[in-house]
C-alpha cells in the first residue's frame, strides 16, 4: 500500500508559511531552507518563533518571481 501525502492548500489569508510549504513552493529541499536560517546566508530569512521557523509569504513570492528572470 502506497503512502499518500496530502498537501494542505496555502490560503490567501495566511501571511506566514512553514518550512515545508516554502520548500514546496520554491522547489528546494527543506534542509536547504534550514541551512539558510542557521547560517543566515540565504536569499530570504525566516521569522523565528522559539525553535519554529516561519517564512513570510510575501518574501517567498518576491524571491520566486526574481528567479524567473
Amino acid at each position: 500500500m502506497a503512502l499518500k501525502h496530502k498537501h494542505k492548500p496555502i490560503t490567501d489569508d495566511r501571511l506566514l508559511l512553514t518550512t515545508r510549504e516554502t520548500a514546496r513552493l520554491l522547489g528546494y529541499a527543506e534542509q536547504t531552507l534550514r541551512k539558510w536560517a542557521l547560517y543566515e546566508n540565504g536569499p530570504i530569512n525566516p521569522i523565528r518563533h522559539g525553535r519554529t521557523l516561519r517564512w513570510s509569504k510575501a518574501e517567498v513570492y518576491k524571491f520566486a518571481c526574481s528567479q524567473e528572470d
Side-chain angles (χ1 to χ4, degrees):
M1 184 169 140
L3 295 175
K4 294 182 181 179
H5 295 94
K6 292 187 177 185
H7 297 291
K8 293 180 183 177
I10 299 171
T11 59
D12 289 336
D13 61 334
R14 292 183 40 221
L15 299 176
L16 299 176
L17 303 172
T18 65
T19 300
R20 175 172 289 168
E21 292 167 333
T22 302
R24 185 171 45 120
L25 282 173
L26 296 177
Y28 285 95
E30 290 178 44
Q31 191 60 31
T32 300
L33 275 68
R34 290 188 190 101
K35 285 181 182 179
W36 289 353
L38 177 65
Y39 297 115
E40 298 179 353
N41 66 349
I44 52 176
N45 293 313
I47 299 163
R48 296 177 188 273
H49 293 283
R51 294 181 58 178
T52 304
L53 299 175
R54 292 293 182 258
W55 303 82
S56 164
K57 187 190 298 185
E59 291 295 316
V60 170
Y61 283 131
K62 187 187 312 181
F63 173 68
C65 290
S66 73
Q67 297 302 298
E68 293 177 358
D69 293 339

